[in-house]
């Protein structure tokens, strides 16, 4: 397992590599413009990166804190680096930094068929609170809304 270095914040220079991972991971990838809030930290947006020891970006997580809730907008790990705890560590870091900014709860949506992501969220204490049938298209599938209502307990438990 390669060692990962996590950091808070993103710069414009990171965007080309982020887009590379994004395009390889999603049928409807975010565009460069959509990452600009994360780069600027605008509107409560937070971004975290995971890198190899050589500095290569292998994953990222983006959230937005609004009052006492953080919405997790993106979490992705480059395919060749999955199942090495980078996703878990990225999400934990984002949650920790969100609580520093006042978040007490977290919310996200996930494709019902995305079992890897669902398992990750469940192991971190998220639970499914709603299902939106047909939310995703081509192919049609449901979105599940996952919430975590006690982020501070997550921190205290160190999970
Ligand atoms: C979801 C994703 C970010 C997970 O990243 P990752 O670095 O591989 O995950 P981790 O190694 O940190 O896994 C943490 C836990 O999540 C669960 N998990 C992760 N991948 C899994 C898989 N393929 N199958 C089952 N469980 C999985 C496991 O419980 C795992 O713990 P374990 O390895 O100790 O069993 C990654 O699969 C990914 O980038 N997917 C494509 C993008 C995506 O779907 N993002 C989420 C959109 S909502």
């Amino acid at each position: 397992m390669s060692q990962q270095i996590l950091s808070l914040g993103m710069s414009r220079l990171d965007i080309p590599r982020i887009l590379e991972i994004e395009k390889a991971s999603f049928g409807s990838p975010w565009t460069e413009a959509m990452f600009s809030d994360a780069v600027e930290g605008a509107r409560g947006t937070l971004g975290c990166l995971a890198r190899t020891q050589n500095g290569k970006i292998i994953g990222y997580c983006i959230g937005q804190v609004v009052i006492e809730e953080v919405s997790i907008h993106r979490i992705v790990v480059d395919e060749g680096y999955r199942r090495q705890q980078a996703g878990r560590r990225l999400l934990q870091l984002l949650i920790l930094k969100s609580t520093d900014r006042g978040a007490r709860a977290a919310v996200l949506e996930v494709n019902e068929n995305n079992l890897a992501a669902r398992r990750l969220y469940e192991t971190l204490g998220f639970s499914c609170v709603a299902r939106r049938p047909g939310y995703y298209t081509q192919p049609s599938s449901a979105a599940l809304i996952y919430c975590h209502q006690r982020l501070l307990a997550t921190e205290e438990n160190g999970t």
Side-chain angles (χ1 to χ4, degrees), residues 26 75-77 82-88 109-110 114 116-117 119-121 123:
F26 295 107
I75 176 159
V76 189
V77 173
R82 289 180 192 164
R83 289 319 282 270
Q84 298 179 33
Q85 305 299 314
R88 187 198 302 274
E109 71 192 26
V110 59
N114 192 343
R119 186 84 194 106
L120 168 63
Y121 304 143
T123 61

Side-chain angles (χ1 to χ4, degrees), residues 62-126:
I62 295 172
Q64 185 174 23
V65 179
V66 177
I67 312 178
E68 293 198 339
E69 184 176 88
V70 57
S71 297
I72 312 293
H73 293 316
R74 238 28 184 183
I75 176 159
V76 189
V77 173
D78 187 3
E79 195 167 4
Y81 295 87
R82 289 180 192 164
R83 289 319 282 270
Q84 298 179 33
Q85 305 299 314
R88 187 198 302 274
R89 295 179 65 220
L90 277 166
L91 194 50
Q92 285 177 321
L93 178 63
L94 192 92
I95 286 173
L96 183 69
K97 296 302 172 187
S98 299
T99 59
D100 288 349
R101 296 195 185 183
R104 299 292 175 264
V107 64
L108 56 84
E109 71 192 26
V110 59
N111 191 315
E112 185 171 54
N113 299 325
N114 192 343
L115 299 182
R118 287 176 59 185
R119 186 84 194 106
L120 168 63
Y121 304 143
E122 287 160 9
T123 61
L124 287 177
F126 284 78

Side-chain angles (χ1 to χ4, degrees), residues 3 11 17 23 27 38 40 52 55 57 59-60 68 78 89 92 105 116 121 134 143 146-147 151-152 155-156:
Q3 211 173 351
S11 107
R17 172 65 183 143
K23 285 175 189 161
E40 290 156 15
T52 62
I57 294 171
Y60 50 93
E68 293 198 339
D78 187 3
R89 295 179 65 220
Q92 285 177 321
Y121 304 143
Y146 272 68
C147 280
L151 293 182
L152 293 180
E155 255 186 283
E156 284 156 14

